[in-house]
Amino acid sequence: MAAFNARGFLVGLIGAGIGTSLSPALHEHQADALKLRYTYRILDLDVLGVPATAVGDVLAAVRLAGFDGVNVTHPVKQLIIEHLDAVSPDAAAIGAVNAVVFVDGRAVGHNTDLPGFVRALTTGIPDVTLNRVVVLGAGGAGAAVAHGLLSLGAGTVSVFDTDARRSDALVESLSIRFGERRAATGPITDLADAIRDADGLTHATPTGMEGHPGLPLPVEVLRPGLWVADVVYRPLDTELIVAARARGCQVLDGSRMTVFQAAESFRLFTAVEPDAERMLRQFNELVHTSPGRRSAHVRQ
């Protein structure tokens, strides 16, 4: 795929309830700065009137229409995998795809949440201790975060989810990739005890998003010396981030992960390296000047 083609780039986002996503503005603003012709389309399953199980048909349609690639979000990050020709090692290990690139007639799936989180953590709160980290949430975002933490050299990652089957499956995939004793799980009732012994906490559930207010854990477990990262970005100051900051924790909101995963998607789609810091500034402008935009998802 040539970086500068005559017709420009046609990309999109497949998901449900995504009409107010910030992705089109974020991607197209970066393309304008790089003087690339770039169109980003929203492919909302709710608007199209099709179920999540029809994602294969949607993927076939965008491939036929000549798209260069698509981002993928809730609820089809896992469902789309069976319709792809290949997946990257990260996406295969995580079990979720959030970016598909069409190359030489093949649909190749990637996971940009993992490098997005790694870059967010290492630039947003560098030099934090990673001996013992708790990950709350074992869905697609939580899986990317857990894999990212262990790839950074975290000693152990403890995964908690209200669905024990999901946390068990994630720990199994982490153990296969990184070795036994690097990941563990337990009943959600053990979460508070695990956080008391941890260096850091990463939150990857919908709690705290617009429309899903609240704290995902007892505020009493937050303490100075514990770093707290939240993947939620609407709002940036979730109740967890506000509470953690007030109790003396070092905090990382969801802006950096959101932007850096988008930057990695942009690079995959165009083969052009974006200016991630410029994208971060644009993202902050969009968040603060578009109060009417409401995101139904953790990512994209």
Side-chain angles (χ1 to χ4, degrees):
M1 181 170 56
F4 295 92
N5 57 56
R7 63 171 177 79
F9 297 92
L10 176 60
V11 300
L13 172 62
I14 301 175
I18 54 174
T20 56
S21 170
L22 298 177
S23 290
L26 190 61
H27 279 247
E28 290 180 353
H29 180 274
Q30 179 65 195
D32 287 345
L34 293 170
K35 303 187 184 309
L36 296 178
R37 295 175 57 202
Y38 192 99
T39 301
Y40 195 109
R41 302 289 191 194
I42 292 292
L43 301 159
D44 193 324
L45 301 178
D46 291 346
V47 174
L48 295 174
V50 298
T53 51
V55 66
D57 295 331
V58 177
L59 186 70
V62 297
R63 189 200 303 233
L64 187 62
F67 277 60
D68 295 284
V70 288
N71 282 125
V72 181
T73 191
H74 178 83
V76 292
K77 286 186 178 182
Q78 290 81 32
L79 291 173
I80 201 167
I81 292 177
E82 66 179 279
H83 303 288
L84 303 175
D85 299 302
V87 295
S88 71
D90 280 344
I94 294 166
V97 162
N98 74 327
V100 177
V101 182
F102 298 111
V103 182
D104 298 327
R106 303 171 73 239
V108 181
H110 299 264
N111 188 295
T112 68
D113 282 337
L114 190 160
F117 173 75
V118 167
R119 189 170 181 180
L121 188 68
T122 55
T123 61
I125 46 174
D127 302 321
V128 292
T129 303
L130 298 174
N131 291 332
R132 298 180 303 276
V133 184
V134 171
V135 174
L136 177 55
V145 163
H147 279 264
L149 285 165
L150 288 179
S151 72
L152 282 172
T156 60
V157 170
S158 298
V159 179
F160 292 88
D161 195 284
T162 54
D163 184 342
R165 291 172 301 179
R166 284 207 307 186
S167 55
D168 288 344
L170 175 53
V171 167
E172 182 179 359
S173 74
L174 293 169
S175 298
I176 291 172
R177 192 178 192 188
F178 297 100
E180 294 185 4
R181 300 192 182 95
R182 298 289 303 282
T185 186
I188 195 71
T189 51
D190 290 348
L191 173 64
D193 288 338
I195 294 174
R196 290 189 183 97
D197 294 332
D199 301 304
L201 163 70
T202 297
H203 171 241
T205 84
T207 303
M209 286 194 297
E210 293 177 343
H212 301 274
L215 281 167
L217 45 78
V219 69
E220 293 78 17
V221 302
L222 303 173
R223 52 176 167 74
L226 177 77
W227 59 263
V228 176
D230 201 335
V231 305
V232 174
Y233 73 89
R234 298 298 297 272
L236 289 177
D237 284 330
T238 61
E239 292 184 49
L240 175 60
I241 289 292
V242 171
R245 187 183 291 123
R247 293 181 69 86
C249 302
Q250 194 172 5
V251 301
L252 179 70
D253 65 38
S255 59
R256 286 180 175 269
M257 180 176 175
T258 299
V259 169
F260 293 149
Q261 67 80 20
E264 177 63 11
S265 294
F266 186 95
R267 186 189 66 79
L268 289 169
F269 296 151
T270 65
V272 177
E273 191 67 39
D275 185 336
E277 292 301 321
R278 181 193 288 134
M279 293 181 78
L280 187 59
R281 292 192 298 271
Q282 173 66 7
F283 174 83
N284 287 325
E285 290 176 11
L286 288 168
V287 167
H288 292 107
T289 61
S290 304
R293 290 181 178 270
R294 301 179 67 86
S295 174
H297 309 292
V298 177
R299 298 264 62 82
Q300 264 76 47

